[in-house]
Amino acid sequence: MRVMEIEIKNILTSWESSLVRYGKIDSWNYSENLTTLGRYLRSNESTLEEHYLIKYIRDSIIGVNFNVKSVLKAIQKLMNLEAVKEKELTSMLVKMDGNRVVLNGQDVRFKKETEKIFKEKLKFKKGMLLRNFDIETEAPHDSKKVRRIVEKRMCQAYHRMHKKDEGYKTSNREKYWMDRATAFQLYNIGQKEKARNTRRGESTHWKWKKDPITHELVLKKKMGYKNEEAAQKAIAQWQINHPYDSREITAYKCNYCNKWHIGHRSKFLNHPSIDSMIPQMQACC
Ligand SMILES: [Zn+2]
């Protein structure tokens, strides 16, 4: 059982949102995306059903007038197939090896906590949703409070998950994983919602992402690095993880939070025809 390449998934996700929002395919990276799908189809890495669906989507999109509804349906069907596969694979991995921490991604392990935290409201911020709180830019005093709330939730979750494990106690090792879990959630939060008509703009503090709970496209804060060196390291790592992505990535200092971010150099200026579209819909970096 293979999981679909992240690159393919990103293309399908971005086409899905573009079809939902505009009823057409975003011309951003259009030909590269078609090439990538073609390569994937030739590689025989998919099941017959997936192959059929991807081929249908690609062939439709190449045509001038395609049926938006049925292409959308095909994309959503593929995504559902993929979600089931991932779920099965995750539970399989856990069974195969008793090592509870390393094998499962944080996003899978703490999915429930993410859901809870995402619904939580902050009383001291007039009921603001916790998920909209950006610890990079809010007042330090408030950021500290939010940090403490998240830490508490994640420690409780970690404890709940592992208290029945043999020899479980709150040792340094446990503390390390709790800190990791907290950092993960603090990275998760900080997004602007109902941002549909907003331009992300050139090199900013945000990127487009699908909210895991509402499935809305939101502007989510990018990972912040403390200096240029750290950002360059992140670029090197990103390139290792995305060998097929030849787009140029740069590091830049953010005027909004004063930290460093990385991102694809926008090709927006070279594509005046997509002026009505949002330049970078793929959730990148
Ligand atoms: Zn920033």
Side-chain angles (χ1 to χ4, degrees):
M1 184 162 48
R2 266 171 192 278
V3 174
M4 199 192 292
E5 274 175 47
I6 190 85
E7 227 184 335
I8 305 295
K9 231 190 292 182
N10 284 346
I11 293 172
L12 294 174
T13 313
S14 104
W15 282 356
E16 184 192 10
S17 24
S18 159
L19 283 173
V20 168
R21 301 173 77 189
Y22 306 107
K24 56 181 179 180
I25 294 294
D26 188 353
S27 51
W28 172 257
N29 272 350
Y30 177 75
S31 52
E32 283 107 313
N33 287 346
L34 285 179
T35 313
T36 309
L37 282 195
R39 180 178 53 76
Y40 186 69
L41 285 172
R42 283 190 302 276
S43 72
N44 279 329
E45 301 224 325
S46 49
T47 63
L48 251 182
E49 190 176 16
E50 280 171 359
H51 188 94
Y52 169 79
L53 285 167
I54 293 177
K55 195 167 178 308
Y56 171 75
I57 294 164
R58 189 202 53 179
D59 294 351
S60 304
I61 279 168
I62 292 172
V64 184
N65 289 316
F66 60 87
N67 187 328
V68 172
K69 257 191 188 161
S70 48
V71 170
L72 254 178
K73 238 188 190 163
I75 293 179
Q76 278 151 2
K77 190 162 184 200
L78 259 170
M79 294 308 201
N80 288 341
L81 283 174
E82 195 53 23
V84 170
K85 217 160 57 173
E86 275 175 9
K87 215 171 154 194
E88 282 169 10
L89 207 62
T90 321
S91 54
M92 225 165 69
L93 281 175
V94 176
K95 268 181 222 150
M96 267 158 54
D97 188 319
N99 193 335
R100 65 200 187 219
V101 178
V102 184
L103 288 172
N104 251 333
Q106 308 234 42
D107 50 339
V108 177
R109 268 185 299 133
F110 296 117
K111 192 165 181 278
K112 268 207 182 116
E113 277 61 42
T114 305
E115 281 173 8
K116 264 188 230 154
I117 284 173
F118 266 53
K119 281 180 194 151
E120 197 161 336
K121 287 179 179 167
L122 298 169
K123 272 187 208 136
F124 69 95
K125 289 287 278 182
K126 293 180 185 143
M128 174 193 197
L129 284 164
L130 174 56
R131 65 174 183 253
N132 294 156
F133 189 95
D134 186 341
I135 55 159
E136 307 286 1
T137 55
E138 293 277 353
H141 177 73
D142 290 345
S143 288
K144 223 172 171 178
K145 274 192 201 168
V146 169
R147 220 172 255 278
R148 245 182 280 133
I149 292 173
V150 172
E151 195 172 44
K152 198 172 161 195
R153 302 283 178 277
M154 297 315 286
C155 289
Q156 284 168 342
Y158 190 92
H159 181 70
R160 230 184 0 258
M161 281 174 191
H162 298 297
K163 63 184 172 194
K164 285 185 182 146
D165 293 357
E166 221 184 288
Y168 174 77
K169 60 180 190 311
T170 316
S171 63
N172 280 341
R173 190 186 124 93
E174 261 62 46
K175 181 87 182 56
Y176 167 81
W177 285 108
M178 286 179 190
D179 285 348
R180 285 272 310 262
T182 305
F184 166 73
Q185 284 304 0
L186 287 173
Y187 164 73
N188 254 343
I189 59 167
Q191 61 186 33
K192 274 179 189 285
E193 292 174 45
K194 311 245 181 301
R196 274 169 180 258
N197 298 317
T198 323
R199 271 273 165 74
R200 193 188 70 120
E202 196 93 9
S203 304
T204 70
H205 184 68
W206 295 281
K207 64 182 172 187
W208 288 106
K209 210 186 171 220
K210 219 178 200 181
D211 180 297
I213 311 300
T214 62
H215 303 293
E216 286 262 336
L217 266 185
V218 296
L219 283 172
K220 185 170 129 42
K221 75 170 192 289
K222 285 187 160 200
M223 186 73 181
Y225 302 96
K226 59 180 188 293
N227 52 35
E228 188 174 11
E229 199 195 347
Q232 290 297 346
K233 265 189 198 160
I235 288 180
Q237 189 57 49
W238 198 91
Q239 282 162 342
I240 291 169
N241 295 342
H242 302 81
Y244 298 112
D245 198 317
S246 56
R247 288 173 293 164
E248 192 183 347
I249 279 198
T250 47
Y252 57 91
K253 191 167 183 189
C254 176
N255 290 328
Y256 189 71
C257 70
N258 284 322
K259 287 198 167 179
W260 285 76
H261 303 302
I262 66 173
H264 288 123
R265 197 186 275 282
S266 175
K267 290 179 184 167
F268 188 56
L269 293 174
N270 304 332
H271 289 260
S273 58
I274 56 165
D275 198 51
S276 60
M277 311 282 269
I278 284 142
Q280 287 163 320
M281 288 212 297
Q282 292 110 317
C284 60
C285 317

